[in-house]
Amino acid sequence: MLHIIFLFSLLFSSSHASVLDFCVADLMGPIGPAGYSCKKPAKVTADDFVFSGLGIAGNTSNLIKAAVTPAFDAQFPGVNGLGISMARLDLAADGVIPLHTHPGASEVLVVVQGSICAGFISSANTVYFKSLKTGDIMTFPQGLLHFQLNSGGSPALAFVSFSSANPGLQILDFALFANDFPSELIEKTTFLDDAQVKKLKAVLGGTG
Amino acid sequence: MLHIIFLFSLLFSSSHASVLDFCVADLMGPIGPAGYSCKKPAKVTADDFVFSGLGIAGNTSNLIKAAVTPAFDAQFPGVNGLGISMARLDLAADGVIPLHTHPGASEVLVVVQGSICAGFISSANTVYFKSLKTGDIMTFPQGLLHFQLNSGGSPALAFVSFSSANPGLQILDFALFANDFPSELIEKTTFLDDAQVKKLKAVLGGTG
Amino acid sequence: MLHIIFLFSLLFSSSHASVLDFCVADLMGPIGPAGYSCKKPAKVTADDFVFSGLGIAGNTSNLIKAAVTPAFDAQFPGVNGLGISMARLDLAADGVIPLHTHPGASEVLVVVQGSICAGFISSANTVYFKSLKTGDIMTFPQGLLHFQLNSGGSPALAFVSFSSANPGLQILDFALFANDFPSELIEKTTFLDDAQVKKLKAVLGGTG
Amino acid sequence: MLHIIFLFSLLFSSSHASVLDFCVADLMGPIGPAGYSCKKPAKVTADDFVFSGLGIAGNTSNLIKAAVTPAFDAQFPGVNGLGISMARLDLAADGVIPLHTHPGASEVLVVVQGSICAGFISSANTVYFKSLKTGDIMTFPQGLLHFQLNSGGSPALAFVSFSSANPGLQILDFALFANDFPSELIEKTTFLDDAQVKKLKAVLGGTG
Amino acid sequence: MLHIIFLFSLLFSSSHASVLDFCVADLMGPIGPAGYSCKKPAKVTADDFVFSGLGIAGNTSNLIKAAVTPAFDAQFPGVNGLGISMARLDLAADGVIPLHTHPGASEVLVVVQGSICAGFISSANTVYFKSLKTGDIMTFPQGLLHFQLNSGGSPALAFVSFSSANPGLQILDFALFANDFPSELIEKTTFLDDAQVKKLKAVLGGTG
Amino acid sequence: MLHIIFLFSLLFSSSHASVLDFCVADLMGPIGPAGYSCKKPAKVTADDFVFSGLGIAGNTSNLIKAAVTPAFDAQFPGVNGLGISMARLDLAADGVIPLHTHPGASEVLVVVQGSICAGFISSANTVYFKSLKTGDIMTFPQGLLHFQLNSGGSPALAFVSFSSANPGLQILDFALFANDFPSELIEKTTFLDDAQVKKLKAVLGGTG
């Protein structure tokens, strides 16, 4: 028996930290193109692989009557390097997650409560959308514009998963109107009217 | 205006079928290492990206008091090639999803109803497990043995997502005892007793 | 010497078609998530790796005073499976390539003639833009909204390369206004005014 | 001639450390999802790409009459980032490498001495096994349970290669019985009898 | 018990062919960038994962006194899509595997008999080479020129593994002198003398 | 409105540095297999994504009458992790870029001025070459020997792009003759004559 344990030790008790089956993010370490540095395996516990932040309803008392709560690698270090992550969508009545993209990931959504109208637009400019009831799932291919809105009269809840630990999130209105993107450039590159641009900049806090 | 439409046509109306943003599985076409062949884009509709099969509770009137309902590429052609898929877990009181692996994917689970004790074992033979309450999420790194069991007195429901459209599913007991794996080989490669092997083969329908 | 030739034959003259160093697209064959089927190696010639379509200036007599000429896998079968492709940008005076994304690729642009103001917006809603002169190159990370516009008084020419043989191209205005995306949904998911939406639909041929 | 050398210098003698063709592991540096940090190129020598540890027979004087000697990135820093690694299998008469998985890699085995019965089990619970003689090779797809046992009367030797520098190694018995995995959980998730679990825990040093 | 079998059936007995854990090459089917089409799972047997062709010594009665026997996907369909393959190197006394590259894979070599001097050249033009004895392993990073030669007085045998099922093999002398590459182009692009080029073309069967 | 801004803050103003859409190289930080460490997002500006070094003609007053100016990650930190990079080729009359490979990337070339004869050699030893005129593009599959030479009487200019931020560059003559690769080893592994090897070593500064 000692021999088997000896074999076991030989295989796994190297003096060097080992690149193991997972790489829980060390949020304070250097970051590379593949993600965060790994927390030392000896300090990893079960808690690193569990995240409770999606158990709390997001605050939907806002203009869009909706909230997105991410569990990406920056919030949930356990998914670093695993090619997967999640987020929670809360949509009050009439709530909407505005048109947005995830630059680095495909998405799948499951409706847990209420009903949601969701859709995306392809490179061929075809719009694919459908009203989803509780239990339905829908997939959104990588990098395409998509949206979700509450299509029932009561609050809706969905969980979305991504094919990346760091899918990114580019909300169209925020990208255009919630920063210092010069209005002249916005207008030239979107053909939106000046009044429209300025109106939305005022709502979303944009300047320039 | 005609000119813009002309540009538009030039870009997207090629006479050749285009490799586009998605590749909805043509389940009848040839399969390659990266997945199924793509359905012709012209025949793709919003329905291809929606799956309702996870809206129905699995039948838990069985020995494990649990059910796994997959939405992998073979069931949900819309995820083919997207690097993501889902499944639904139903666990009646005392239900258990036995130890299993997904050979080609990492997983993230969200508890939607009830409470679930879930865990996995690393290459270093460390066991990471925790009791999850509704809204908690947990991640299971690629290829490692893991399990889920109902840790409350009432039915539990969870959705799991995978970092592959075809994660695979190898349930340990089925892999060992639900086929024609010769008992002698099982015993030599697992150190299980002959009586134990034969008992479980009888339950799970194994031969040899 | 015969022996060396024998070795040579042994290695390379298999009776089976070989999966070789390249996979020139057979545009008529089945398509999979990784790209088109491969043309038989025996039928491949040097011409398959050369494309002359980018040598011709695009027609910029249109509303945007610009043209994009793609050399993606559908146009240039030689890049199928190689993870690279190109396009040509022609911008007449005041020409603009409107805000767009490539869902599946990063891009690098080189200015060959004239000067171009180019920029992109990150997930953090920061706008990065700069005026580029002839010989400058700029990179646009995968999946992010970006634009190019002529910032000189004379025609500009640029070549762009992509980290995919099939980068996709989603032009924001076309995605919103050049299809049957219902105006009500557009307005709810973008906060654009109804008048604005209808005006641009009229220009771009959108319905609904 | 000086000019050519000048060109040469220009290309390769940058003042910044360059990300080059290889990334020999700096076992003391930070680790990320893609592997160890790279040793500075100037300190890399031919010895970094050579490993002699597989030239020594593993000690098979143990219960399984077998030994696995890994040359993964932690032991053989030269393979870091290259997507390949090796191990040596020594099997005395009646030796066995128990059922195990490599969570992150496919494997190919070559029998160098003796004969070995090897097999794996698929997600469809099909068992594929065969007796291999010297010179035979066998492949084991990623993440699936597999085993090797000496099927001759004399010592056997094999080398195995992996499609990852860090394939991981999860030996079923060690994962179940050589740690603090609570017996109750093991029994619930494997259907093994309590006596069986306790017996193997005693042999392998498990607690709980 | 019937219930468990029912669950089992539900999961695995779909009427559609499933994209499973492996994709044994159907050498007659279409080929894509990711490899050959998959043989139908129902027709796959253990023999598909075993290859005996490397058990036979290659014929070294040739100019290079050496032989390479590949077990790539075209010869060994079981590795298709798995990201791994092998080859056997036989080197008689004074045998040499001339300078060559594998365009799409890193390599690891294990010396099984005799001693071999092996080396590679980096992008920085550094030569890394070493004499290897039986049991030593050496790695060759992807795409770099490398060689192996018998450095003992007796026959040597090695097995090499690759990080691709289709690593490719470009032997420098064959690439230059065993085809119709015009001598003038060779000379201009290599600076070799005309006499040298013509001499080696004569040996290797080149024309032009 | 404050509520929307609150949502916005919640999503993007985490106290932890975020793994974002890009990873501009911090050339002083640790390097891993996937590339350089990322510069802190707060310090990134538009200038990081622009490179002007390709706007300057390379010095072609050398033996090859040509120059390669790279914009790889080490020169152009903005492409780090993006899977793309560029280089500029200047060819004076009779200039030539000698046979070379990029170990880790496919390439596409666009002729911007003059005419260029370019070609590559496959693993099957087939030579594919063609004379390209201004505006033509050609692709060179990963890892294969290829060359470019001025086929007109006037200076030629081309830009090449790569499917990697760090494609590597191995020029055959430099790999063989511009280092300390022992002549005896060169001759044994290339069959070149001793006089030829020594002549080129003298030109290129090689020793040994």
Side-chain angles (χ1 to χ4, degrees):
Chain A
M1 190 196 72
L2 286 177
H3 288 133
I4 253 202
I5 290 170
F6 176 73
L7 165 71
F8 174 72
S9 304
L10 199 72
L11 287 174
F12 299 113
S13 299
S14 148
S15 62
H16 300 306
S18 182
V19 175
L20 276 177
D21 316 307
F22 44 73
C23 175
V24 173
D26 170 4
L27 298 177
M28 296 302 134
I31 307 175
Y36 289 95
S37 298
C38 314
K39 196 171 167 177
K40 287 188 190 304
K43 297 198 169 171
V44 170
T45 71
D47 288 338
D48 286 304
F49 301 103
V50 177
F51 182 67
S52 294
L54 303 195
I56 305 155
N59 184 348
T60 59
S61 303
N62 53 42
L63 266 190
I64 59 170
K65 297 176 182 163
V68 179
T69 312
F72 301 170
D73 50 7
Q75 292 84 31
F76 182 15
V79 295
N80 185 48
L82 296 186
I84 199 151
S85 62
M86 289 196 76
R88 171 191 177 119
L89 306 187
D90 289 283
L91 295 121
D94 299 322
V96 58
I97 309 292
L99 269 176
H100 63 283
T101 61
H102 305 286
S106 291
E107 173 180 340
V108 64
L109 171 150
V110 55
V111 181
V112 164
Q113 181 192 325
S115 54
I116 289 176
C117 174
F120 70 89
I121 311 164
S122 75
S123 275
N125 297 327
T126 305
V127 188
Y128 300 92
F129 69 96
K130 199 166 177 187
S131 194
L132 310 173
K133 61 184 184 307
T134 303
D136 284 351
I137 66 176
M138 181 168 182
T139 190
F140 306 90
Q142 176 169 336
L144 298 177
L145 281 165
H146 60 289
F147 64 88
Q148 290 101 8
L149 52 83
N150 193 330
S151 55
S154 57
L157 171 62
F159 289 98
V160 289
S161 303
F162 301 96
S163 62
S164 166
N166 176 37
L169 169 55
Q170 180 162 60
I171 299 177
L172 178 58
D173 272 55
F174 291 174
L176 295 179
F177 308 120
N179 48 29
D180 58 359
F181 196 178
S183 298
E184 192 193 345
L185 279 180
I186 299 175
E187 292 157 26
K188 277 189 181 167
T189 61
T190 63
F191 310 121
L192 293 175
D193 292 335
D194 182 63
Q196 177 72 86
V197 169
K198 288 188 171 142
K199 178 176 172 185
L200 286 168
K201 281 204 167 187
V203 174
L204 290 161
T207 58
Chain B
M1 191 198 71
L2 285 177
H3 288 134
I4 256 203
I5 291 172
F6 177 73
L7 164 72
F8 174 70
S9 304
L10 198 73
L11 286 173
F12 298 113
S13 300
S14 147
S15 61
H16 300 307
S18 182
V19 175
L20 277 177
D21 315 307
F22 45 73
C23 174
V24 173
D26 170 3
L27 298 177
M28 297 304 134
I31 306 176
Y36 290 95
S37 297
C38 313
K39 196 172 167 175
K40 286 187 189 305
K43 296 196 170 173
V44 170
T45 70
D47 287 338
D48 286 304
F49 300 103
V50 177
F51 182 66
S52 294
L54 301 196
I56 304 155
N59 184 348
T60 59
S61 302
N62 53 42
L63 266 189
I64 59 171
K65 296 177 184 162
V68 179
T69 311
F72 299 170
D73 50 7
Q75 293 84 32
F76 182 16
V79 294
N80 184 50
L82 296 187
I84 199 149
S85 62
M86 289 195 78
R88 172 190 175 118
L89 305 187
D90 288 281
L91 296 121
D94 298 324
V96 58
I97 310 293
L99 268 178
H100 63 283
T101 60
H102 305 287
S106 290
E107 172 180 340
V108 65
L109 171 150
V110 56
V111 181
V112 164
Q113 182 191 325
S115 55
I116 289 176
C117 174
F120 70 89
I121 313 164
S122 75
S123 276
N125 298 326
T126 304
V127 188
Y128 299 93
F129 69 97
K130 199 166 178 187
S131 194
L132 311 172
K133 60 184 187 306
T134 302
D136 283 352
I137 66 176
M138 181 168 183
T139 189
F140 306 90
Q142 177 168 337
L144 298 176
L145 280 165
H146 60 288
F147 64 88
Q148 290 100 9
L149 53 82
N150 193 330
S151 57
S154 58
L157 170 63
F159 290 97
V160 289
S161 304
F162 301 95
S163 63
S164 165
N166 174 37
L169 169 54
Q170 179 161 62
I171 298 177
L172 178 57
D173 272 56
F174 292 174
L176 294 179
F177 307 120
N179 48 28
D180 59 359
F181 196 0
S183 297
E184 192 192 345
L185 280 180
I186 299 174
E187 292 157 25
K188 277 189 180 168
T189 60
T190 63
F191 309 121
L192 293 175
D193 292 336
D194 182 62
Q196 178 72 86
V197 169
K198 289 189 170 140
K199 179 176 171 185
L200 285 168
K201 281 204 167 186
V203 173
L204 289 162
T207 59
Chain C
M1 191 198 71
L2 286 177
H3 287 134
I4 254 202
I5 291 171
F6 177 73
L7 164 73
F8 175 72
S9 303
L10 199 73
L11 286 174
F12 298 113
S13 301
S14 149
S15 61
H16 300 308
S18 182
V19 175
L20 276 177
D21 316 306
F22 44 74
C23 175
V24 174
D26 170 4
L27 297 177
M28 296 303 134
I31 307 176
Y36 290 95
S37 298
C38 313
K39 195 171 168 178
K40 286 189 191 302
K43 297 197 171 173
V44 170
T45 69
D47 288 338
D48 286 304
F49 301 103
V50 177
F51 182 68
S52 294
L54 302 195
I56 304 155
N59 183 348
T60 59
S61 301
N62 53 41
L63 265 191
I64 59 170
K65 297 178 182 160
V68 179
T69 311
F72 300 171
D73 50 7
Q75 293 83 32
F76 182 16
V79 295
N80 184 49
L82 295 187
I84 198 150
S85 61
M86 289 195 77
R88 172 191 176 119
L89 306 187
D90 288 282
L91 296 121
D94 297 324
V96 57
I97 309 292
L99 268 176
H100 64 283
T101 61
H102 305 287
S106 290
E107 172 181 340
V108 65
L109 170 150
V110 55
V111 181
V112 164
Q113 181 191 326
S115 54
I116 289 176
C117 174
F120 70 88
I121 312 164
S122 75
S123 276
N125 297 327
T126 305
V127 187
Y128 299 93
F129 68 97
K130 198 166 177 188
S131 194
L132 310 172
K133 61 184 185 305
T134 303
D136 283 352
I137 66 175
M138 181 168 182
T139 188
F140 307 90
Q142 177 169 336
L144 299 176
L145 281 165
H146 60 289
F147 64 88
Q148 290 100 8
L149 53 83
N150 193 330
S151 56
S154 57
L157 170 63
F159 289 98
V160 289
S161 304
F162 301 96
S163 63
S164 166
N166 175 37
L169 169 55
Q170 180 161 61
I171 299 177
L172 178 58
D173 272 55
F174 292 173
L176 294 180
F177 307 120
N179 49 27
D180 59 359
F181 196 179
S183 297
E184 191 192 345
L185 280 180
I186 299 175
E187 291 157 25
K188 275 189 181 169
T189 60
T190 62
F191 309 122
L192 293 175
D193 292 335
D194 182 62
Q196 177 73 85
V197 168
K198 288 187 171 142
K199 178 176 171 185
L200 285 168
K201 281 204 167 188
V203 173
L204 290 162
T207 58
Chain D
M1 192 196 70
L2 285 177
H3 288 133
I4 253 202
I5 291 172
F6 177 73
L7 164 71
F8 174 71
S9 304
L10 199 73
L11 286 174
F12 298 114
S13 300
S14 147
S15 61
H16 300 307
S18 181
V19 175
L20 276 177
D21 316 306
F22 44 75
C23 175
V24 173
D26 170 4
L27 297 177
M28 296 304 135
I31 306 176
Y36 289 95
S37 298
C38 314
K39 197 171 166 177
K40 286 188 190 305
K43 296 198 170 173
V44 171
T45 69
D47 287 339
D48 286 305
F49 301 103
V50 177
F51 183 67
S52 294
L54 302 195
I56 304 155
N59 183 348
T60 59
S61 303
N62 53 41
L63 266 189
I64 59 170
K65 297 176 183 163
V68 179
T69 311
F72 300 172
D73 51 6
Q75 293 83 33
F76 181 17
V79 294
N80 184 50
L82 296 187
I84 199 150
S85 62
M86 289 195 78
R88 173 191 175 118
L89 305 188
D90 289 282
L91 296 120
D94 298 323
V96 58
I97 309 294
L99 268 176
H100 63 283
T101 61
H102 306 286
S106 290
E107 173 181 340
V108 64
L109 170 149
V110 56
V111 182
V112 164
Q113 182 191 324
S115 54
I116 289 176
C117 174
F120 70 88
I121 312 164
S122 75
S123 276
N125 296 328
T126 304
V127 187
Y128 299 92
F129 68 97
K130 198 164 178 189
S131 194
L132 311 172
K133 60 183 187 306
T134 303
D136 283 352
I137 66 176
M138 181 166 182
T139 190
F140 306 90
Q142 176 168 334
L144 298 176
L145 280 166
H146 60 289
F147 64 88
Q148 290 100 9
L149 53 82
N150 193 331
S151 56
S154 58
L157 170 62
F159 290 98
V160 290
S161 304
F162 301 96
S163 62
S164 165
N166 175 37
L169 169 54
Q170 180 162 62
I171 299 177
L172 178 58
D173 272 55
F174 291 174
L176 294 180
F177 307 121
N179 48 29
D180 59 358
F181 196 179
S183 297
E184 192 192 344
L185 279 180
I186 300 175
E187 291 156 26
K188 277 188 180 168
T189 60
T190 62
F191 309 123
L192 293 175
D193 292 336
D194 182 61
Q196 177 72 88
V197 169
K198 287 189 171 141
K199 179 177 171 185
L200 285 167
K201 280 204 167 187
V203 173
L204 290 162
T207 58
Chain E
M1 191 198 71
L2 285 176
H3 289 133
I4 253 201
I5 291 171
F6 176 74
L7 164 71
F8 174 71
S9 304
L10 199 73
L11 286 174
F12 299 113
S13 300
S14 149
S15 61
H16 300 306
S18 182
V19 176
L20 276 178
D21 315 307
F22 44 75
C23 175
V24 173
D26 170 4
L27 297 178
M28 297 303 133
I31 306 176
Y36 290 94
S37 297
C38 313
K39 196 172 166 177
K40 285 188 190 304
K43 297 198 169 173
V44 170
T45 70
D47 287 338
D48 285 305
F49 300 103
V50 177
F51 182 67
S52 293
L54 302 196
I56 305 155
N59 184 348
T60 59
S61 301
N62 53 40
L63 266 190
I64 60 171
K65 297 177 183 163
V68 179
T69 310
F72 300 169
D73 50 8
Q75 293 83 32
F76 182 17
V79 295
N80 184 49
L82 295 187
I84 198 150
S85 61
M86 289 195 77
R88 173 191 176 117
L89 306 187
D90 288 282
L91 296 121
D94 297 324
V96 58
I97 310 293
L99 268 177
H100 63 282
T101 61
H102 304 287
S106 290
E107 172 181 341
V108 65
L109 170 151
V110 56
V111 181
V112 164
Q113 182 192 324
S115 54
I116 289 176
C117 174
F120 69 88
I121 311 164
S122 75
S123 276
N125 297 327
T126 305
V127 188
Y128 299 92
F129 68 98
K130 199 167 178 188
S131 193
L132 310 172
K133 61 182 186 307
T134 303
D136 283 352
I137 67 175
M138 181 167 181
T139 190
F140 306 90
Q142 175 169 336
L144 298 177
L145 281 165
H146 60 289
F147 64 88
Q148 290 101 8
L149 53 83
N150 193 331
S151 57
S154 58
L157 171 62
F159 290 98
V160 289
S161 303
F162 301 96
S163 63
S164 166
N166 175 37
L169 169 55
Q170 180 162 61
I171 299 177
L172 177 58
D173 272 56
F174 292 174
L176 295 179
F177 307 121
N179 47 29
D180 59 358
F181 195 179
S183 298
E184 192 192 345
L185 280 180
I186 300 175
E187 292 157 25
K188 276 188 182 167
T189 61
T190 63
F191 309 120
L192 293 175
D193 292 336
D194 182 62
Q196 177 71 87
V197 170
K198 287 186 171 143
K199 179 176 171 184
L200 286 167
K201 281 204 167 186
V203 173
L204 290 162
T207 58
Chain F
M1 192 196 71
L2 285 177
H3 288 134
I4 255 202
I5 292 172
F6 176 73
L7 164 72
F8 174 72
S9 303
L10 199 72
L11 286 174
F12 299 112
S13 301
S14 149
S15 62
H16 299 307
S18 182
V19 175
L20 277 176
D21 316 306
F22 45 74
C23 175
V24 174
D26 170 3
L27 298 178
M28 296 304 133
I31 306 176
Y36 289 94
S37 298
C38 314
K39 196 172 168 177
K40 284 187 191 307
K43 296 197 170 175
V44 170
T45 69
D47 287 338
D48 286 304
F49 300 104
V50 177
F51 183 66
S52 295
L54 302 196
I56 304 156
N59 184 348
T60 59
S61 302
N62 53 41
L63 266 189
I64 58 170
K65 297 177 183 161
V68 179
T69 311
F72 300 171
D73 51 7
Q75 292 84 32
F76 182 16
V79 294
N80 184 49
L82 296 187
I84 199 150
S85 62
M86 289 195 78
R88 172 192 177 118
L89 305 187
D90 289 281
L91 296 121
D94 298 322
V96 58
I97 309 294
L99 268 177
H100 63 283
T101 61
H102 305 286
S106 290
E107 173 181 340
V108 64
L109 170 150
V110 55
V111 181
V112 164
Q113 182 192 325
S115 55
I116 289 177
C117 173
F120 70 89
I121 311 165
S122 75
S123 276
N125 297 328
T126 304
V127 187
Y128 299 93
F129 67 96
K130 198 165 177 187
S131 194
L132 311 172
K133 61 184 186 304
T134 302
D136 284 352
I137 66 175
M138 182 168 182
T139 189
F140 306 90
Q142 177 168 336
L144 298 176
L145 281 166
H146 60 289
F147 64 88
Q148 289 101 9
L149 52 83
N150 193 330
S151 56
S154 58
L157 170 63
F159 289 97
V160 289
S161 302
F162 301 96
S163 62
S164 165
N166 175 37
L169 169 55
Q170 181 162 60
I171 299 177
L172 177 57
D173 273 55
F174 292 173
L176 295 179
F177 307 120
N179 49 29
D180 60 358
F181 196 179
S183 298
E184 191 192 344
L185 279 180
I186 299 174
E187 292 157 25
K188 276 189 181 169
T189 61
T190 62
F191 308 122
L192 293 175
D193 292 335
D194 182 61
Q196 177 73 86
V197 169
K198 288 189 172 141
K199 179 176 170 185
L200 286 167
K201 281 202 168 189
V203 173
L204 290 161
T207 58

